Amino acid sequence: MDHSTHKPGMDGMSAVVTGVDSAAAVVLVLWTVGMWLAVAVLAWGNRRSVRPWMYRTAVAVIALGAIGQIGHFQEHIAQAAYWIANPEAPAWMTPWGDSMARGMGQIDSAKPSLGMEVLHLTGNFAFLAGLVGVMQVTHRAARSLRARKWARMGVWMQGIHGLEHVVLTVSVALGASRAVGLSTWFGTIPPGTALTTYRVWWHFVANLSGSAVFAMALFHLWRERRAIAAAHVPAAPDRDEQAPKDRSEDLVGPRRSRP
């Protein structure tokens, strides 16, 4: 979406950053950072012997990724719906999205669109962490699992989309007059209706396709959950199931039967 034309307070909300704005921004950032720390721990753990906590941690990461993407995608649905109703209007965000963007915009208040770019960057990386979580939880199971195949596709798709948001955010942070990336045609489309339309539908389609792939990965994850859970059960230690040897023969010699 063309956030370069978005000004705090344009939708009637106060441009003053409130404590709620700051708290919401901090929670979302911590949410995403926590997910990636968990992903790093899972990647480390999958190189060692299996532990029961690894399965639970991976499931938690996947669940947080799914919840986060539902919240993220609804923002793009709302933007697309608003565009359909108001195709000539400036860019728009939901009140809660605008609130978090204001909170994140405190990074540099001199760049009005930076908070919005950071917000979408954070949301996309939370989504990517959820997809990577599916890859981690299926690491020890059969490589032919369909959940793993869909997740791998999603990681590639969302990885490219996440890179796009990195470029958009960095370009604004470095002082570009408007975000530079594929969704702005590298800054060549001037601010206005054309750019708003292009960004709204570019990101809507990208998130729609990514969400569909994630949904398929979750569907097959549920169907293959028994095989995945079984792969996270620690192997029982090898034990000699035979009875202890009778050492009496070592002391008195083998018993002989009477003639």
Side-chain angles (χ1 to χ4, degrees), residues 43-86:
W44 173 82
N46 275 328
R47 295 178 177 274
R48 288 159 176 78
S49 58
V50 66
R51 295 289 185 273
W53 61 264
M54 295 171 60
Y55 178 75
R56 295 191 294 269
T57 301
V59 170
V61 169
I62 296 167
L64 288 174
I67 295 171
Q69 181 57 12
I70 290 172
H72 178 205
F73 188 41
Q74 65 79 31
E75 187 71 25
H76 288 284
I77 293 174
Q79 291 172 1
Y82 184 85
W83 182 93
I84 292 172
N86 307 275

Side-chain angles (χ1 to χ4, degrees), residues 5-59:
T5 60
H6 185 279
K7 304 297 182 184
M10 65 173 288
D11 52 6
M13 297 180 63
S14 172
V16 177
V17 180
T18 66
V20 174
D21 300 338
S22 299
V26 169
V27 168
L28 183 58
V29 170
L30 291 179
W31 179 314
T32 305
V33 171
M35 289 180 68
W36 278 102
L37 287 176
V39 165
V41 171
L42 287 170
W44 173 82
N46 275 328
R47 295 178 177 274
R48 288 159 176 78
S49 58
V50 66
R51 295 289 185 273
W53 61 264
M54 295 171 60
Y55 178 75
R56 295 191 294 269
T57 301
V59 170

Side-chain angles (χ1 to χ4, degrees), residues 9 13 15 29-30 44 54 59 64 67 72 77 80 102 106 134 156 179 204 213 217 219 221-223 228 252 257:
M13 297 180 63
V29 170
L30 291 179
W44 173 82
M54 295 171 60
V59 170
L64 288 174
I67 295 171
H72 178 205
I77 293 174
R102 285 198 303 271
Q106 296 177 90
V134 179
W156 276 104
F204 175 81
V213 171
F219 171 73
L221 193 67
W222 175 256
R223 294 187 62 183
I228 296 170
V252 299
S257 59

Side-chain angles (χ1 to χ4, degrees), residues 129-214:
L131 285 162
V132 176
V134 179
M135 293 293 292
Q136 293 298 328
V137 80
T138 57
H139 179 78
R140 296 178 182 273
R143 300 291 179 173
S144 60
L145 290 180
R146 301 194 69 177
R148 186 175 181 83
K149 293 180 179 179
W150 280 99
R152 183 184 293 110
M153 184 192 307
V155 168
W156 276 104
M157 291 174 60
Q158 186 58 25
I160 295 172
H161 188 57
L163 182 60
E164 159 75 1
H165 278 282
V166 169
V167 174
L168 293 170
T169 303
V170 170
S171 64
V172 173
L174 293 179
S177 59
R178 54 183 178 269
V180 177
L182 185 59
S183 60
T184 63
W185 206 242
F186 305 101
T188 59
I189 303 177
T193 302
L195 181 55
T196 298
T197 301
Y198 182 51
R199 287 202 72 177
V200 164
W201 291 105
W202 196 98
H203 288 291
F204 175 81
V205 171
N207 277 276
L208 176 62
S209 56
S211 298
V213 171
F214 193 20

